[in-house]
Amino acid sequence: MSNMTSATSPIDQWEKEEYKYGFVTDIETDTLPPGLSEDVIRVISGKKQEPQWLLDWRLKAYRHWQTMTEPTWANIKYPPIDFQKIIYYSAPKLDKDRPKSLDEVDPKLLETYEKLGIPLEERAVLAGVAVDAVFDSISVATTFKEKLGELGIIFCSFSEAARDHSELVKKYLGSVVPYSDNFYATLNSAVFTDGSFVYIPKGVRCPMELSTYFRINAMSTGQFERTLIIADEASQVSYLEGCTAPMRDENQLHAAVVELIALDDASIKYSTIQNWYPGDKDGKGGIYNFVTKRGKCLGRRSHISWTQVETGSAITWKYPSCILQGDDSVGEFYSVALTNNYQQADTGTKMIHIGKNTKSTIISKGISAGHGQNTYRGGVKINKGADNARNYTQCDSMLIGDQCGAHTFPYIEVKNATAKMEHEATTSKIGEDQLFYCNQRGIGMEDAINMIVNGFCKEVFRELPMEFAVEAQKLLEVSLEGSVG
Amino acid sequence: MVGLKDISDTYRSHLARVEKSDAGDAFRWLHPLREAAFARFCELGFPSVRDEEWRFTNTAPIANTAFAPAPSGEGVDADQVAPFTLREPGAHRIVFVNGRFVPALSAAGSLPGGVILGGLCDAAREHRLIVEAHLGQYATIENHAFSALNTAMLEDGAFVYVPKGTVVDAPIHLLFLSVADAAPWVAHPRNLIVTETSSQATIVETYAALDGGVQFTNAVTEIVAGENTVIDHYRVGCESTEAFHVGALHLHLRRSSTLTSHSIIFGGALVRNDIHANLAEEDCECTLNGLYMIEGTQHVDNHLVIDHAKPHCRSWEYFKGILDGKSRGVFSGRINVHENAQKTDAKQTNMSLLLSDHAQVQSKPQLEIFADDVKCTHGATIGQLDDEAVFYLRSRGIKREDARSLLTFAFAGENLNKIRVASLRAQLEQHVRIKLSP
Amino acid sequence: MLEIRNLHVAVDGNEILKGVDLKVGAGEVHSLMGPNGSGKSTLAQVLAGRETYEVTDGEVLFNGKDLLDLSPDERACEGVFMAFQYPVEIPGVTTNYFLRAALNAIRKYRGEDELDAFDFIEFVKEKARVVAIDNSLLQRAVNDGFSGGEKKRNEIFQMAVLEPKLAILDETDSGLDIDALKIVAEGVNKLRAPDRAIILITHYQRLLNYIVPDAVHVLVDGRIAKSGGKELALELETDGYTKIAGQRAAVETEKV
């Protein structure tokens, strides 16, 4: 007589793969003691040799921040953060001033990026991708700078831009996300340390993908980077951001701000693959990812597209948004957010239609596994003057196992009768049923899970640049291993 | 303003007349239900806009009109009926004038053995067992004043019975014609359609007016889709633009049944279309399609409730409205997924096209889900014709008005194409074209 | 080909199959009928390897191998195919991709070369013709947004592509209109072959007007209550299951 193995799910037996970017780089750092004060801000600004106006702006933000309280509306749970225990500045100690070329960069740093799969040596760089690498608080290297410079494209660290392109920075910094915008954005405005700056001149189509890799290395450090991208009239750029951090038992804060500005006929495509350390399988450690990302379609017929694949972080709180100010402008948001183990994500977008004939598309795919909690929060606002505005929202949730949760909060505010709105939402469970169906056709367990999840995310993956779509797909597969049980 | 007391008195006199009529005699066994239904109606009264289910539809014009019972409508001849018949080979037709079955105008044709097609009043005598087993079992009198009133007043309507394993190939046409009278009148047609295991049938219910005038048709249709049946049902409303029509359709689906019901509404001053589908057993599939096209001050309210009571059932709702002038449209769609109805797959789509700045639509989707492994989708759009598309056609030399009609027809076409009875589809397409021609 | 001996199956401690014996030879078509809750679908699910069911006793031999020892995908690779009563939707995965993954998994298992995308499409178009399926179905996501009837036809199509040795059709006829029923029946008839066995699980006798089975079995309360030729189905149509259930009860009582 033979017996069938009963009731335990075959996915239970999957082995958990460890977070593979969790190593620590042992290098000498220049680190400020923990804590936040006006003096700390002055030191940060001083280290970066910033112009006076920027220091003043930071201080204004800091003073405003002190009057604010942490938001509590999001569907996430975490113990209170002690902002005085965070280190606001940590940088690899660089010989003398700054490296003039890659040869001067600490070999250990280069090694770190090699391990992450981001070679900084230009010849080894993925064909057609220029990289800016941000390590803790500062940008360590930007590749392909000269080549881009020939086209008039500025692609450099934010600190450098603040010194060398002060007028441009001054004109646009805070023009999309004001210093007073929200608790974390205001904190960022006061203490941001580095980030990327991009300016694409009129009529230029950026010939390669621009990319920034963010890495949190030092302990107890918060990372507060600031990215500003300006696409001048009729220009085009595609930008990719990737993130990793070492495995630590403590929670680290990442509060970034990204501002995008698209002028007439300009187009910006911003893709994120966020893989910050998510904490271990019991929910210990991991990054708190509280990010404000917003783009302004300032010009007519301008176009901003956000694509994000969020697999990391203990907590993700971000809503890449578009202000559709120019007539005929277009905003898009494509998102895959995956929460496994004890991860929590409250993410979505806001589309604010101001101009006439503006269009927005929202496609959100939430995947919850383990004890993960995934919330989609999306707002669509059609202002009074926004004649013929259109929005299409599709919001799908997938549950893997029965300990996780998916929540959907759509907010729609229409003040113009000519608006055309579509909304679709589904919640489904990838369960034994789908897997058994695949198995019954001869397809093994591992292939079946990947097939089902990738099918679910298809509409978002196809928005990513080719190389990254493959990376995103793999990342999802790795993140889902050991997902049920 | 007519008070509740006056309304009760008026309809009580109607009831007294019904009880004394031939129908009162045929339905003698129904007497207790009639009384209960009437009592319930008196309690409820006609709904007001304070009632959430009637928030956007004001029934005061019905409450405030003193309707007389429908006159017999004698003298209608075959020529008058002809324009409304289905030109479908072999179609089985029964005709009702002012709510009463008129055998002389009917042509049931040759039906497969065991199929019953005729008036409900006759069936109450000849097939009492079947009628008694189903009548009033699905249309509840509890919360719907109009259904309660219909149950109290019912005299006649269509009765269709399809026995086990029987396939009725040609469509069965239930044609309801109204003829005006000097005074406004009310009729309460009551239809009962019962299909047994593994049977298959197509049923077309048409409500049309031979002339103008104020009438109030308060119809109730109950359909039982037996196990493993495939039922295709159509309800077409082409009444006069002065008419009131409150129609309630109650669908009861048994195991592995597939039921599709199309609601097509063009006529009526005030139309309320209630559909309640009860997916009572496993593996049912229910499709509700709807299309309405109105203008002037017409008001159409489609009110759908789907109950997913058991696992593995599917429901699809696809409703479209085209509104011109100062017309008003209401769509309310509730999907109830009961606690053990796992693997439910429900999709609801409501699209409205506003051809004028003064037309208005209220769209209210509601999902109530008490099971955790389900797929429920709803989508709603309200919008005007795409200016870009109009411009594109004009740039190819098509006149503005023609471009608008063409695009509007395309919008309606998607639903018209779902109609599987070819002659009905052609008739309705023609109807839409005429409405769209300047 | 298939031999089921004294099969007992329980779900959450409730015994559903209470000793089923059934032999199906190569080339034969058997019809398994029975009222709701008699255990018909349970038997299909157990044969395909669904893990929510616990086999408490008995054995199942498939071409001499112990079927119960194999995982669901191994059984599929061995040639067991089940047409699901409720075919599952897999959004975003095209039928084409899905079937190629399945076919290649099976071919790999058998030590055959995998088919590339071009060879596969040729192969599959031929099969689509056999079961009168529109080629556009290949580009649609597996069962996603299909009507009940389309899903059932897709199951028959998959059966044609995967060419199983044993096909178990779990209520593939339920919910079909007469035309779709004929197409499904035709598909099944075309797939009858000397080296293939088919088990038709059905709730309604109607399917057997179009597929003539070699044997009919009636499952009542977890046991096969009666077996016979095709005339048994007609008998059921007139008398219903109650009579057989009654006979069975009588037999049981006699045994005691």
Side-chain angles (χ1 to χ4, degrees):
Chain A
M1 190 208 117
S2 65
N3 253 316
M4 238 176 173
T5 46
S6 65
T8 55
S9 153
I11 347 183
D12 287 348
Q13 295 147 18
W14 274 41
E15 286 188 21
K16 161 93 183 157
E17 172 157 326
E18 293 282 307
Y19 181 74
K20 73 176 185 192
Y21 308 104
F23 56 86
V24 179
T25 308
D26 185 16
I27 50 172
E28 254 189 284
T29 54
D30 175 9
T31 301
L32 285 182
L36 184 53
S37 65
E38 291 203 4
D39 287 342
V40 167
I41 292 166
R42 286 198 174 87
V43 171
I44 292 171
S45 185
K47 278 184 185 290
K48 297 182 168 296
Q49 301 157 29
E50 286 175 352
Q52 184 63 38
W53 68 264
L54 188 48
L55 173 61
D56 294 344
W57 193 75
R58 284 175 180 277
L59 291 172
K60 195 162 57 173
Y62 176 65
R63 285 164 200 153
H64 186 72
W65 181 73
Q66 288 175 304
T67 69
M68 298 171 95
T69 47
E70 259 181 277
T72 52
W73 46 264
N75 192 20
I76 51 180
K77 291 192 190 91
Y78 57 92
I81 299 170
D82 185 344
F83 291 92
Q84 293 305 335
K85 282 199 175 146
I86 293 173
I87 296 169
Y88 289 86
Y89 186 86
S90 171
K93 198 173 261 171
L94 299 164
D95 300 336
K96 286 174 220 157
D97 294 310
R98 293 178 47 80
K100 297 283 180 291
S101 76
L102 279 174
D103 303 335
E104 294 174 30
V105 174
D106 188 331
K108 272 196 183 138
L109 262 182
L110 290 179
E111 215 176 278
T112 301
Y113 282 94
E114 287 290 346
K115 274 196 215 169
L116 293 169
I118 311 151
L120 290 179
E121 291 180 59
E122 290 185 17
R123 60 177 181 278
V125 162
L126 212 53
V129 182
V131 180
D132 182 23
V134 177
F135 196 87
D136 290 337
S137 304
I138 69 151
S139 170
V140 291
T142 307
T143 62
F144 283 111
K145 222 158 130 183
E146 281 80 28
K147 204 170 165 200
L148 293 167
E150 287 165 20
L151 293 165
I153 295 172
I154 304 170
F155 178 40
C156 63
S157 73
F158 197 94
S159 312
E160 206 178 323
R163 287 192 303 270
D164 301 347
H165 308 282
S166 176
E167 283 314 300
L168 263 180
V169 175
K170 193 175 175 183
K171 182 170 173 192
Y172 290 108
L173 179 71
S175 71
V176 186
V177 181
Y179 73 88
S180 56
D181 193 79
N182 70 68
F183 187 80
Y184 298 107
T186 302
L187 176 63
N188 173 288
S189 301
V191 304
F192 72 86
T193 40
D194 217 333
S196 295
F197 176 83
V198 176
Y199 171 78
I200 314 289
K202 275 185 194 171
V204 172
R205 188 182 165 161
C206 186
M208 55 182 74
E209 303 279 344
L210 300 184
S211 171
T212 300
Y213 262 86
F214 295 107
R215 168 100 184 140
I216 297 178
N217 191 59
M219 268 178 83
S220 308
T221 307
Q223 179 149 320
F224 304 93
E225 82 273 355
R226 183 113 195 163
T227 297
L228 180 56
I229 299 177
I230 303 146
D232 211 328
E233 290 172 19
S235 68
Q236 271 184 43
V237 61
S238 169
Y239 183 92
L240 184 111
E241 168 200 305
C243 329
T244 61
M247 288 160 66
R248 296 191 191 286
D249 286 348
E250 54 170 11
N251 295 108
Q252 285 177 285
L253 180 64
H254 172 250
V257 172
V258 176
E259 293 178 279
L260 311 182
I261 295 117
L263 301 181
D264 285 1
D265 298 296
S267 151
I268 302 175
K269 186 175 175 64
Y270 193 105
S271 315
T272 304
I273 294 186
Q274 186 266 106
N275 186 27
W276 293 121
Y277 178 55
D280 69 9
K281 63 183 187 338
D282 301 317
K284 200 165 182 200
I287 301 290
Y288 290 165
N289 190 33
F290 297 154
V291 172
T292 305
K293 288 182 170 176
R294 199 174 300 151
K296 195 186 244 179
C297 284
L298 197 58
R300 294 173 60 104
R301 296 171 301 276
S302 55
H303 186 158
I304 288 179
S305 174
W306 298 99
T307 305
Q308 60 173 23
V309 177
E310 304 279 322
T311 61
S313 297
I315 298 175
T316 297
W317 179 97
K318 70 182 266 205
Y319 314 89
S321 304
C322 294
I323 301 169
L324 302 169
Q325 191 168 318
D327 289 352
D328 300 291
S329 59
V330 177
E332 292 167 331
F333 174 74
Y334 302 97
S335 169
V336 168
L338 180 148
T339 53
N340 195 358
N341 298 322
Y342 285 87
Q343 282 176 276
Q344 304 173 59
D346 190 310
T347 184
T349 184
K350 219 190 274 173
M351 294 289 174
I352 300 160
H353 292 253
I354 300 169
K356 293 183 174 48
N357 306 316
T358 46
K359 267 188 217 169
S360 60
T361 300
I362 299 171
I363 294 183
S364 163
K365 305 280 181 174
I367 304 169
S368 321
H371 293 83
Q373 293 294 325
N374 213 321
T375 300
Y376 166 80
R377 191 181 301 277
V380 178
K381 193 173 169 188
I382 312 285
N383 281 10
K384 219 165 172 187
D387 288 348
N388 300 314
R390 280 195 204 181
N391 166 264
Y392 173 76
T393 300
Q394 184 190 334
C395 174
D396 300 323
S397 313
M398 180 184 265
L399 305 172
I400 305 181
D402 49 13
Q403 306 286 310
C404 53
H407 318 272
T408 303
F409 300 106
Y411 302 91
I412 298 169
E413 196 183 331
V414 181
K415 292 189 175 156
N416 184 310
T418 60
K420 219 169 173 175
M421 316 286 291
E422 285 179 73
H423 183 245
E424 292 193 17
T426 68
T427 299
S428 57
K429 213 166 174 179
I430 170 182
E432 306 295 311
D433 265 3
Q434 277 179 319
L435 293 172
F436 180 62
Y437 191 68
C438 292
N439 290 162
Q440 210 299 307
R441 297 297 183 256
I443 300 165
M445 190 57 67
E446 212 168 306
D447 290 340
I449 292 181
N450 292 338
M451 186 186 270
I452 294 164
V453 170
N454 282 319
F456 180 72
C457 300
K458 207 177 194 175
E459 288 140 302
V460 175
F461 285 169
R462 69 167 177 232
E463 295 300 323
L464 287 170
M466 183 70 121
E467 305 86 329
F468 301 113
V470 176
E471 186 180 333
Q473 201 165 322
K474 284 197 185 128
L475 192 57
L476 222 58
E477 288 170 13
V478 169
S479 305
L480 268 178
E481 287 181 10
S483 56
V484 174
Chain B
M1 184 75 200
V2 183
L4 192 57
K5 169 96 175 39
D6 299 328
I7 292 170
S8 306
D9 288 349
T10 305
Y11 287 101
R12 183 167 293 285
S13 71
H14 290 201
L15 180 59
R17 191 197 53 80
V18 171
E19 296 270 31
K20 278 190 234 115
S21 70
D22 180 48
D25 181 54
F27 290 101
R28 191 61 57 206
W29 47 270
L30 194 70
H31 183 77
L33 182 61
R34 271 194 207 281
E35 283 296 324
F38 190 73
R40 186 64 188 149
F41 167 73
C42 293
E43 271 167 46
L44 291 167
F46 287 115
S48 84
V49 290
R50 283 187 301 275
D51 181 341
E52 183 60 28
E53 298 303 318
W54 293 83
R55 218 173 115 200
F56 303 109
T57 296
N58 187 354
T59 61
I62 293 175
N64 294 345
T65 306
F67 294 103
S72 70
E74 275 163 5
V76 173
D77 61 35
D79 290 346
Q80 286 172 286
V81 175
F84 302 98
T85 58
L86 278 185
R87 281 166 193 77
E88 193 78 16
H92 314 283
R93 179 180 76 239
I94 54 172
V95 179
F96 298 79
V97 177
N98 294 359
R100 287 190 190 80
F101 179 44
V102 185
L105 296 171
S106 304
S110 97
L111 287 157
V115 175
I116 305 167
L117 174 62
L120 186 67
C121 183
D122 296 337
R125 290 195 173 99
E126 293 158 26
H127 308 283
R128 180 175 159 181
L129 280 181
I130 306 172
V131 176
E132 202 174 349
H134 295 285
L135 189 69
Q137 296 299 306
Y138 318 103
T140 55
I141 57 170
E142 262 329 284
N143 302 311
H144 200 296
F146 290 98
S147 287
L149 185 61
N150 176 288
T151 303
M153 303 292 167
L154 72 90
E155 291 178 73
D156 208 352
F159 176 67
V160 181
Y161 178 78
V162 185
K164 193 170 176 179
T166 305
V167 176
V168 185
D169 281 321
I172 294 169
H173 191 197
L174 317 176
L175 178 57
F176 293 83
L177 296 170
S178 57
V179 184
D181 196 55
W185 57 253
V186 57
H188 307 273
R190 179 71 173 232
N191 307 313
L192 178 63
I193 298 163
V194 179
T195 60
E196 300 285 4
T197 304
S198 297
S199 64
Q200 191 172 326
T202 300
I203 294 145
V204 181
E205 245 181 274
T206 304
Y207 294 86
L210 290 178
D211 42 29
V214 180
Q215 299 116 24
F216 170 29
T217 301
N218 177 32
V220 172
T221 300
E222 292 174 284
I223 302 183
V224 185
E227 281 193 30
N228 203 34
T229 51
V230 179
I231 309 298
D232 202 12
H233 171 252
Y234 302 83
R235 210 145 159 254
V236 183
C238 300
E239 289 156 302
S240 87
T241 48
E242 293 166 90
F244 302 109
H245 186 109
V246 176
L249 176 63
H250 294 266
L251 310 171
H252 185 83
L253 282 79
R254 302 202 51 205
R255 187 183 195 274
S256 298
S257 58
T258 306
L259 192 152
T260 306
S261 178
H262 308 249
S263 304
I264 300 117
I265 301 165
F266 295 123
L270 191 165
V271 177
R272 164 80 170 208
N273 180 31
D274 273 288
I275 303 180
H276 176 229
N278 186 14
L279 281 52
E281 295 174 19
E282 281 192 26
D283 193 25
C284 303
E285 182 165 311
C286 180
T287 306
L288 302 179
N289 293 327
L291 174 69
Y292 66 93
M293 194 169 171
I294 52 176
E295 60 197 1
T297 56
Q298 284 181 280
H299 179 112
V300 169
D301 178 349
N302 281 298
H303 231 79
L304 279 50
V305 178
I306 295 190
D307 271 298
H308 278 266
K310 287 283 154 64
H312 287 291
C313 292
R314 295 144 330 252
S315 68
W316 325 105
E317 293 164 79
Y318 203 87
F319 266 69
K320 278 189 166 187
I322 301 171
L323 299 96
D324 205 346
K326 290 182 181 164
S327 62
R328 296 274 181 280
V330 181
F331 175 86
S332 163
R334 195 166 79 223
I335 301 173
N336 297 323
V337 180
H338 296 234
E339 201 181 318
N340 64 346
Q342 301 294 5
K343 305 287 175 192
T344 288
D345 186 351
K347 180 165 184 167
Q348 179 189 82
T349 306
N350 174 231
M351 299 170 95
S352 309
L353 178 62
L354 306 178
L355 296 178
S356 97
D357 290 337
H358 306 290
Q360 262 185 31
V361 166
Q362 306 289 343
S363 180
K364 192 175 150 205
Q366 301 165 76
L367 304 178
E368 296 203 22
I369 304 174
F370 295 98
D372 63 359
D373 187 8
V374 303
K375 188 172 150 190
C376 288
T377 308
H378 70 87
T381 66
I382 299 173
Q384 302 191 323
L385 282 176
D386 188 347
D387 282 340
E388 245 171 82
V390 173
F391 177 73
Y392 185 73
L393 292 176
R394 291 177 72 192
S395 76
R396 295 293 179 266
I398 298 165
K399 274 194 263 158
R400 188 186 145 82
E401 279 317 302
D402 291 345
R404 286 179 63 90
S405 320
L406 207 140
L407 290 169
T408 307
F409 187 80
F411 179 85
E414 203 188 343
N415 271 35
L416 293 171
N417 285 337
K418 294 177 194 285
I419 295 173
R420 285 185 285 253
V421 179
S423 60
L424 178 64
R425 186 173 60 237
Q427 251 178 34
L428 294 172
E429 277 174 359
Q430 186 59 17
H431 204 101
V432 171
R433 280 211 180 84
I434 290 168
K435 278 184 89 90
L436 285 173
S437 59
Chain C
M1 178 172 281
L2 179 74
E3 193 172 351
I4 302 172
R5 288 186 202 142
N6 189 33
L7 187 67
H8 288 253
V9 173
V11 176
D12 302 331
N14 296 323
E15 190 163 53
I16 298 189
L17 294 184
K18 303 171 179 169
V20 170
D21 294 284
L22 183 65
K23 251 186 184 175
V24 181
E28 294 177 354
V29 175
H30 286 229
S31 171
L32 187 63
M33 306 184 71
N36 269 339
S38 58
K40 300 186 305 281
S41 282
T42 300
L43 181 61
Q45 302 268 345
V46 168
L47 292 178
R50 173 79 90 180
E51 314 207 345
T52 35
Y53 297 92
E54 194 191 349
V55 175
T56 51
D57 199 3
E59 62 180 352
V60 178
L61 294 177
F62 178 61
N63 286 329
K65 277 189 192 169
D66 181 354
L67 194 67
L68 301 180
D69 234 18
L70 304 175
S71 69
D73 39 318
E74 284 168 336
R75 295 180 199 201
C77 290
E78 285 286 339
V80 176
F81 177 92
M82 178 170 81
F84 283 54
Q85 184 186 3
Y86 301 112
V88 179
E89 301 186 1
I90 309 178
V93 177
T94 63
T95 303
N96 188 38
Y97 182 86
F98 175 75
L99 271 179
R100 188 153 75 90
L103 185 67
N104 280 336
I106 294 171
R107 292 178 67 97
K108 203 169 150 190
Y109 182 86
R110 293 192 196 135
E112 294 166 8
D113 284 341
E114 296 187 17
L115 288 184
D116 66 25
F118 301 103
D119 290 341
F120 177 75
I121 204 83
E122 284 310 308
F123 172 75
V124 96
K125 275 184 179 166
E126 176 56 35
K127 296 293 182 185
R129 230 182 340 264
V130 174
V131 290
I133 285 268
D134 195 85
N135 281 333
S136 65
L137 174 131
L138 288 168
Q139 298 313 320
R140 291 170 67 187
V142 181
N143 294 324
D144 192 19
F146 285 28
S147 70
E150 284 176 315
K151 284 181 184 173
K152 297 293 176 83
R153 284 173 61 182
N154 191 13
E155 293 293 287
I156 298 301
F157 170 57
Q158 292 182 28
M159 174 170 98
V161 171
L162 300 178
E163 301 177 321
K165 290 186 192 125
L166 171 67
I168 306 154
L169 277 58
D170 189 5
E171 295 207 28
T172 304
D173 56 323
S174 290
L176 295 183
D177 66 26
I178 195 78
D179 297 326
L181 181 77
K182 284 179 188 165
I183 290 169
V184 164
E186 254 171 64
V188 173
N189 284 330
K190 281 180 192 159
L191 292 167
R192 285 178 94 149
D195 57 348
R196 180 172 296 142
I198 299 174
I199 300 176
L200 301 173
I201 292 177
T202 175
H203 197 74
Y204 306 104
Q205 176 274 337
R206 194 172 63 156
L207 178 68
L208 305 182
N209 294 342
Y210 304 95
I211 304 174
V212 181
D214 298 299
V216 175
H217 310 278
V218 184
L219 197 64
V220 178
D221 191 26
R223 289 184 190 94
I224 290 185
K226 197 170 184 183
S227 294
K230 57 178 189 289
E231 64 292 341
L232 178 56
L234 292 171
E235 204 178 299
L236 286 173
E237 182 71 1
T238 11
D239 299 347
Y241 294 114
T242 19
K243 192 172 164 195
I244 284 176
Q247 286 169 1
R248 170 86 207 181
V251 172
E252 290 291 299
T253 326
E254 263 171 46
K255 274 187 189 166
V256 175

